[in-house]
Amino acid sequence: MDNTNFGVGIIGTGSYVPDKILTNKDLEKIVDTSDEWITSRTGIKERRILDKDKSTSYMAEKAAKKAIESSGLNREDIDMIIVTTVTPDMAFPSTACIVQEKLGLKNAAAFDLEAACTGFIYGLSVGYSFIKSGLYENILIISADSLSKITDWEDRNTCVLFGDGAGAAVLSKVKDGRGLLSIDIGADGGGGELLTQPAGGSLKPASIDTVKNKLHYIKMEGNSVFKFAVKIMVDSSRKVMRKVGMNIDDINYLIPHQANMRIIESASKRLKIDSDKVCLNLDKYGNMSSSSIPVALDEAVRDGKIKENDNVLLVGFGGGLTWGATLIKW
Ligand code: UT7
């Protein structure tokens, strides 16, 4: 392959979710909620929770190891690591640097990227650009989040929604016409306050007051995010299909961000995609932020669902506000 006539695609995937399961019934004992409410309003039945003494890099390492193994590359071939997360182990060093050390990826540049739940799509687009430009060859994208660590377990509006997990993919050169065929990423900072963790940064450094006022937890205006999500998933999906002259009938699988079953159903209906083409794991894991899409992707690949030449559409949205979609010829 010369330096212009090639595609950029995913050559390996991996994922990890913690063993500990928290069911809707368990949540009934913690806050004023019910299995019936959570299931009918969100589609979530249970979620995974990371042990208290473990951190995001623990899950990131496990998912990354599987992705590298399935890519067939050696560890020294990985020349860049991008970790997408809103729950890094700490502000710095980056979680990507921590994972680099844990996995011994000595030849890799490493940095974190924050685009909330859209992180995986943003990560893919950055990785794509580095490979297309010829600067780097084999890039490990890891999306890992332990939202349980920033969840207010007394707030029923949010605590029923989230779960922990990590997904990873190795991006590399593939045959021309394969891999990521089109990408759309976008943002609307004007909607930033709809979904935020207010304290812990330079605006409101951690203090007794920020802790007392519960400002280190996720705050969300669910209804507004819901409406934004449906619209942007449809718009962004259409955009990536249009860019390559495809329509919804050309899509073999849609892998949406897994935030709420009703969001996915509304978007799928507007897109007119058959429900059996939509890959779901929301019922088992809840919303795992940027990990939701790569975990669902890895499961679909390992189950043998996604096959060579399939057209796979990934679409996500999240805090920022951010959104993104990519159409991949597998
Ligand atoms: O990753 C991206 C970020 N997140 C999202 O995409 C989330 C998007 N939003 C959503 O998924 C939905 O808006 C929620 C699931 C968060 C909420 O569903 P909703 O249908 O929009 O409910 P609501 O906020 O309008 O609340 C309806 C009622 C309220 O009671 P009143 O005021 O009508 O008496 C809430 O207090 O449901 C109540 N409620 C609950 N009841 C039982 C809210 N949470 C719960 C709960 N259990 N866990």
Side-chain angles (χ1 to χ4, degrees):
M1 268 186 285
D2 67 33
N3 234 8
T4 46
N5 212 11
F6 63 87
V8 175
I10 294 174
I11 61 163
T13 62
S15 62
Y16 172 81
V17 292
D19 293 334
K20 187 176 165 197
I21 296 174
L22 185 72
T23 65
N24 291 350
K25 286 274 171 213
D26 296 330
L27 279 166
E28 287 179 358
K29 294 173 205 143
I30 302 174
V31 285
D32 179 16
T33 191
S34 64
D35 176 35
E36 197 283 319
W37 192 95
I38 304 170
T39 307
S40 63
R41 305 307 289 168
T42 72
I44 301 165
K45 296 296 289 181
E46 56 189 48
R47 67 287 292 142
R48 301 302 177 99
I49 305 292
L50 188 63
D51 291 345
K52 283 215 155 50
D53 63 343
K54 296 198 170 72
S55 62
T56 295
S57 68
Y58 174 84
M59 300 190 293
E61 178 195 359
K62 297 224 175 254
K65 210 167 160 223
K66 289 185 197 161
I68 297 170
E69 270 162 23
S70 80
S71 75
L73 295 178
N74 296 313
R75 291 187 183 199
E76 42 296 357
D77 299 328
I78 303 293
D79 50 17
M80 179 177 284
I81 307 165
I82 303 173
V83 171
T84 78
T85 184
V86 291
T87 48
D89 282 18
M90 57 193 85
F92 58 89
S94 68
T95 302
C97 283
I98 294 169
V99 173
Q100 186 223 28
E101 171 63 14
K102 284 187 177 195
L103 284 173
L105 302 176
K106 299 248 176 281
N107 297 326
F111 63 95
D112 287 0
L113 182 161
E114 200 273 273
C117 305
T118 322
F120 186 63
I121 312 279
Y122 266 69
L124 288 177
S125 59
V126 173
Y128 173 94
S129 309
F130 269 117
I131 296 172
K132 261 293 178 192
S133 68
L135 281 173
Y136 288 82
E137 285 202 2
N138 302 306
I139 302 185
L140 174 64
I141 320 282
I142 313 167
S143 295
D145 263 307
S146 37
L147 292 182
S148 67
K149 308 265 187 177
I150 57 166
T151 294
D152 179 354
W153 292 102
E154 291 177 351
D155 175 14
R156 69 174 184 174
N157 291 297
T158 52
C159 77
V160 302
L161 304 173
F162 303 115
D164 301 334
V170 177
L171 268 186
S172 200
K173 286 183 183 177
V174 294
K175 260 195 264 164
D176 199 20
R178 298 283 287 274
L180 277 66
L181 302 183
S182 62
I183 298 169
D184 171 52
I185 54 171
D188 173 11
E193 288 191 356
L194 298 179
L195 185 47
T196 175
Q197 181 192 16
S202 59
L203 183 63
K204 290 190 176 78
S207 68
I208 289 168
D209 276 347
T210 60
V211 172
K212 226 190 286 171
N213 292 319
K214 296 185 156 203
L215 298 181
H216 297 273
Y217 294 131
I218 301 169
K219 310 283 176 200
M220 180 172 71
E221 306 232 355
N223 279 313
S224 308
V225 178
F226 190 110
K227 285 178 207 141
F228 153 76
V230 174
K231 182 178 180 322
I232 209 68
M233 280 172 76
V234 174
D235 291 352
S236 197
S237 298
R238 286 188 179 143
K239 213 164 172 180
V240 290
M241 288 189 281
R242 206 164 44 233
K243 277 185 186 176
V244 287
M246 285 194 194
N247 64 48
I248 203 71
D249 297 327
D250 298 313
I251 303 301
N252 299 95
Y253 290 105
L254 171 70
I255 305 187
H257 173 48
Q258 320 266 319
N260 185 316
M261 196 54 210
R262 291 185 295 134
I263 294 177
I264 297 172
E265 280 169 358
S266 299
S268 303
K269 205 166 145 203
R270 287 176 203 202
L271 284 168
K272 297 193 171 62
I273 187 160
D274 296 341
S275 56
D276 56 1
K277 289 183 173 179
V278 183
C279 300
L280 297 169
N281 59 20
L282 175 73
D283 54 332
K284 296 186 289 183
Y285 305 141
N287 178 350
M288 298 183 289
S289 189
S290 65
S291 320
S292 281
I293 292 174
V295 170
L297 174 67
D298 181 52
E299 290 182 340
V301 170
R302 283 174 197 266
D303 289 352
K305 229 168 150 176
I306 295 177
K307 297 185 191 66
E308 210 170 312
N309 273 320
D310 277 350
N311 295 318
V312 183
L313 174 55
L314 313 183
V315 61
F317 60 90
L321 299 168
T322 55
W323 63 86
T326 181
L327 207 167
I328 304 174
K329 182 164 286 291
W330 205 257

